[in-house]
Amino acid sequence: MVYNKVEICGINTAKLPVLTEKRKRELLCIIRNGTPAEQEEAREEMISGNLRLVLSVIKRFAGRGELADDLFQVGCIGLIKAIDNFDCEKDVRFSTYGVPMIIGEVRRYLRDHSTLRISRSIKDTAYRAMQEKEKIMAQTGREPTVSEIASAIGQSEEAVVIALESFVEPVSIYDPVYSDGTDTVYIMDTLGDDNDDHRWLERIALMDAFSGLGERERGILTMRYLRGKTQMEVADEIGISQAQVSRLEKGAMKKIREQMT
């Protein structure tokens, strides 16, 4: 996912305006109390002046296989919701309220487009819990406890925890958990197995097969399966077409399978 490009969704990110906190507060007050024409103009300026905030948030979701443009648009929906629901009477910075709203919108999008299937009742509980969480944060400026959320939506604490945990984005077994600069430990290295000797033999065979690949093939597999990049992102990074990346990836995987059989 390329976030440092100049243009995203047709917007030149290098030229995005930056608003002061004072100006944000003025605009939010106009949105609440101004004439329709003033409200519309203030809303446009508020949205434009906070697009950098959206951009900074979606960087957290790199490596999820989603296009940056799609996440940016979803993040903008969260920004608009934050602007429309912000209480300018509260002594809370807009970003304090806006960031969780944007993150929440992006997470909802990722969950709705996930290949994992979660029951409707758990989804409903999770959505209500997240809405209540955002509401409490807007009112108090702090993270609510599970007990507060459960009480507000009439559910047990256990039900709230299960619902929220069910929506935590899955991680890859190839995600790193520790590195000292020379050697990296991945999640797969921390998993137990009934036949550790067999697993170690498989790993050795896999590493031998991997080392037999060309430099470009190793680089592509590393970016795809260790860094979680899409084929389009890999293509942008190394300067070739997505079709070439797909062909090289398939060829490398075929070589590895042949060497391990």
Side-chain angles (χ1 to χ4, degrees), residues 109-120 123 127 165-171:
Y109 171 82
L110 292 174
R111 284 192 294 270
D112 289 343
H113 290 74
S114 171
T115 56
L116 297 176
R117 292 293 176 260
I118 301 170
S119 72
R120 171 54 57 186
K123 276 188 177 182
Y127 287 146
E165 286 296 323
S166 69
F167 279 169
V168 174
E169 292 85 358
V171 297

Side-chain angles (χ1 to χ4, degrees), residues 101-168:
M101 289 286 282
I102 297 169
I103 291 175
E105 200 66 32
V106 174
R107 283 179 173 166
R108 275 190 285 274
Y109 171 82
L110 292 174
R111 284 192 294 270
D112 289 343
H113 290 74
S114 171
T115 56
L116 297 176
R117 292 293 176 260
I118 301 170
S119 72
R120 171 54 57 186
S121 62
I122 293 179
K123 276 188 177 182
D124 289 343
T125 300
Y127 287 146
R128 289 170 58 203
M130 288 184 291
Q131 289 173 348
E132 190 61 35
K133 177 180 178 180
E134 291 167 359
K135 179 181 176 182
I136 295 174
M137 287 185 67
Q139 294 173 341
T140 66
R142 63 171 177 80
E143 189 93 6
T145 65
V146 173
S147 177
E148 287 175 316
I149 296 173
S151 176
I153 66 174
Q155 293 282 346
S156 67
E157 293 183 27
E158 181 181 7
V160 170
V161 171
I162 290 174
L164 293 178
E165 286 296 323
S166 69
F167 279 169
V168 174

Side-chain angles (χ1 to χ4, degrees), residues 153-201:
I153 66 174
Q155 293 282 346
S156 67
E157 293 183 27
E158 181 181 7
V160 170
V161 171
I162 290 174
L164 293 178
E165 286 296 323
S166 69
F167 279 169
V168 174
E169 292 85 358
V171 297
S172 167
I173 62 173
Y174 298 104
D175 283 349
V177 294
Y178 170 77
S179 176
D180 62 4
T182 58
D183 191 21
T184 301
V185 177
Y186 299 95
I187 289 178
M188 67 178 293
D189 297 320
T190 67
L191 301 178
D193 197 297
D194 293 335
N195 191 346
D196 286 337
D197 290 341
H198 180 64
R199 288 186 70 233
W200 277 109
L201 290 173

Side-chain angles (χ1 to χ4, degrees), residues 41 43 57 89 113 124 196 202 206 217 220 230-231:
E41 185 177 347
R43 195 165 181 266
V57 168
E89 299 298 322
H113 290 74
D124 289 343
D196 286 337
E202 285 185 341
L206 177 60
E217 292 173 319
I220 289 173
T230 65
Q231 289 184 349

Side-chain angles (χ1 to χ4, degrees), residues 29-71:
C29 289
I30 294 173
I31 292 170
R32 296 293 172 273
N33 307 311
T35 65
E38 290 173 337
Q39 289 175 334
E40 183 177 355
E41 185 177 347
R43 195 165 181 266
E44 292 266 340
E45 185 180 344
M46 189 66 184
I47 292 172
S48 176
N50 283 280
L51 291 180
R52 287 181 183 271
L53 187 64
V54 176
L55 195 61
S56 68
V57 168
I58 66 171
K59 288 179 181 179
R60 306 182 185 190
F61 297 91
R64 303 296 176 86
E66 299 290 338
L67 294 176
D69 284 4
D70 291 342
L71 293 185

Side-chain angles (χ1 to χ4, degrees), residues 2-26:
V2 180
Y3 293 104
N4 57 353
K5 62 182 181 179
V6 172
E7 190 169 292
I8 183 168
C9 290
I11 298 172
N12 188 336
T13 58
K15 297 182 178 180
L16 288 175
V18 178
L19 300 176
T20 64
E21 284 300 317
K22 180 181 178 182
R23 182 55 180 164
K24 290 178 187 177
R25 182 70 60 171
E26 291 173 350

Side-chain angles (χ1 to χ4, degrees), residues 196-241:
D196 286 337
D197 290 341
H198 180 64
R199 288 186 70 233
W200 277 109
L201 290 173
E202 285 185 341
R203 287 184 202 168
I204 292 171
L206 177 60
M207 293 305 296
D208 285 343
F210 190 79
S211 63
L213 299 176
E215 183 178 350
R216 172 168 281 187
E217 292 173 319
R218 289 198 305 272
I220 289 173
L221 292 187
T222 297
M223 285 186 280
R224 288 280 288 128
Y225 297 102
L226 297 184
R227 293 166 57 189
K229 290 183 176 289
T230 65
Q231 289 184 349
M232 182 64 75
E233 292 162 5
V234 174
D236 288 341
E237 185 164 328
I238 65 179
I240 63 177
S241 69

